[in-house]
Every structure is written in C-alpha cells, then in structure tokens.
Amino acid sequence: SLGVSESRLSRCHRLRCHHCIRCNTDIKESLSLAQVVRKNNHTTMDVEEGTVKLVSKEGDTFDVPVAVAKMSELVKTMMDEEDSEEVAEIPLPNVKATVLGKVIEFCTHHQSEPMTEIEKPLKSAVMAEVVQRWYADFVNVEQVLLFELILAANYMDIKPLLDLTCATVASMIKGKTPEEIRKTFNITNDFSPEEEAQVREENKWCEEA
C-alpha cells in the first residue's frame, strides 16, 4: 500500500505517541510516491490518447490515434524506440495511400469490435459465417486491393488483418477444382497435360485429405 493505514494514524493521534515525527515522514514519502505514480500514469495516458502521423508511399499523411496505430507491430516498435514521447511521423514507403486508408479503417473498427478469432481450417467458404458481418464486408473488395491489403498487413505486422485477408483468399479456393481456382484468380495453366498429370499424382494426398 502506498499510504499509511488509518488505524495507525488514529492510534498515534489518540496516544500522542513519540513516533509522530516518523509517521509524518512516512506520510510525506507516501504522498510523494503517490504523486509520482499518478503523474506517470497521466503521462502514459496522454501518450496513448495522442495521435501519430502515418505517411504513405506517395507522401500522404494520416493522423491516427496512437492506440489504433500501435495495432501495427512495426509502428509500435518504431514508436517505442524513439527517445521522445511524441513521434513526428512514421514513414510507410511500402504502403499506398488507398491501402493505408483501408488499413486504418480496419484498425479503428477493431478497437470497438475486436474480430472473432478465425478457426483453422475454415469452417465455411462464406466469410460472414467465419467472422462478424463488418469484417466480411470489409474484405469484399477487388482482388487487387485484397492482395495489396495482404502485403500491407504483412509489412506492417498486423496479425488480425493478415489473418482476415489470408482467410478470405482461402475461402475463394475452398472446395474448388484447380480449373475453377485458375479461373477465379485468372491464372494461366502453363503445364502440359503430362506435367499436370504428374503434379496431380505427386500431390494426390492433398485431394484425399
């Protein structure tokens, strides 16, 4: 306990004991310690409640709450390594502005409604049956943007976003034949019939599983 117990103070007051000087010293030390703790907590709160500037590949700046930005382990590490309490800006040269905007949207929503942990293997090819509706709608985007989000989540080290985007790709593959997968992702089959037969034979255990 930081403070001196009420029973001790009351007893000293009633008996007018000879240890009042010592008690008074204890009280001052306790109060000083409490003030330091409160000040440190207040400083930490201020830092967490502040904002940080995230800079995209094109140089666009996004003012983001610290708690939201720190969902990225990359950003968190860069901020924690800074000596000053306030970081001017965090450059993210591998993330385009449009993608960074989506990443921030995800992290912001995650603060108020954390995403359900995704079961592996996927229980359904329908993302709305895997995660909450908001997250299913979030990844209902063009393939180009989806893969850019995967790269951004990996680069910025945001595990929930990486899990969500990768699960979305897995849901697009789940239950489909190789031909259907090629069509879904616009993949050209450059195998000869003989090579394809060999690959199928070597990986027959996958189909059986």
Side-chain angles (χ1 to χ4, degrees), residues 17-200:
C17 72
H18 296 294
H19 300 290
C20 285
I21 295 177
R22 179 180 174 185
C23 290
N24 191 42
T25 301
D26 287 347
I27 294 170
K28 290 180 179 179
E29 290 177 350
S30 297
L31 288 174
S32 298
L33 180 56
Q35 289 170 346
V36 170
V37 171
R38 282 198 299 271
K39 182 178 180 181
N40 287 339
N41 287 341
H42 181 66
T43 300
T44 302
M45 187 179 299
D46 286 346
V47 172
E48 290 298 321
E49 291 181 353
T51 60
V52 61
K53 296 181 186 298
L54 302 184
V55 185
S56 70
K57 178 180 181 179
E58 300 90 338
D60 294 337
T61 301
F62 296 80
D63 284 320
V64 184
V66 170
V68 172
K70 281 191 172 184
M71 273 196 65
S72 163
E73 289 297 324
L74 173 66
V75 172
K76 184 177 183 296
T77 299
M78 293 174 73
M79 291 186 69
D80 290 346
E81 287 178 352
E82 291 289 335
D83 293 332
S84 61
E85 293 179 353
E86 295 184 3
V87 181
E89 57 184 35
I90 301 291
L92 299 169
N94 291 0
V95 186
K96 295 194 299 187
T98 52
V99 179
L100 183 55
K102 289 287 288 182
V103 171
I104 293 169
E105 180 186 353
F106 173 90
C107 294
T108 300
H109 185 83
H110 197 280
Q111 293 292 303
S112 59
E113 184 191 14
M115 187 180 73
T116 302
E117 186 172 350
I118 297 175
E119 296 180 16
K120 300 178 182 65
L122 286 181
K123 63 182 181 180
S124 172
V126 180
M127 288 305 295
E129 297 176 1
V130 177
V131 292
Q132 300 98 308
R133 170 61 65 180
W134 187 94
Y135 292 101
D137 291 341
F138 177 82
V139 287
N140 186 20
V141 296
E142 295 292 332
Q143 283 187 27
V144 173
L145 178 55
L146 178 61
F147 285 107
E148 286 179 333
L149 284 170
I150 290 176
L151 294 175
N154 184 60
Y155 169 66
M156 295 178 67
D157 196 359
I158 306 174
K159 186 179 183 299
L161 179 56
L162 186 60
D163 287 347
L164 176 63
T165 48
C166 288
T168 302
V169 173
S171 73
M172 297 166 70
I173 295 173
K174 188 176 178 65
K176 292 184 178 179
T177 64
E179 291 75 18
E180 291 172 330
I181 293 172
R182 290 192 193 102
K183 185 177 180 180
T184 298
F185 297 102
N186 196 27
I187 300 172
T188 302
N189 182 11
D190 55 358
F191 284 114
S192 67
E194 294 76 17
E195 290 173 330
E196 185 168 348
Q198 181 181 351
V199 170
R200 285 181 182 275

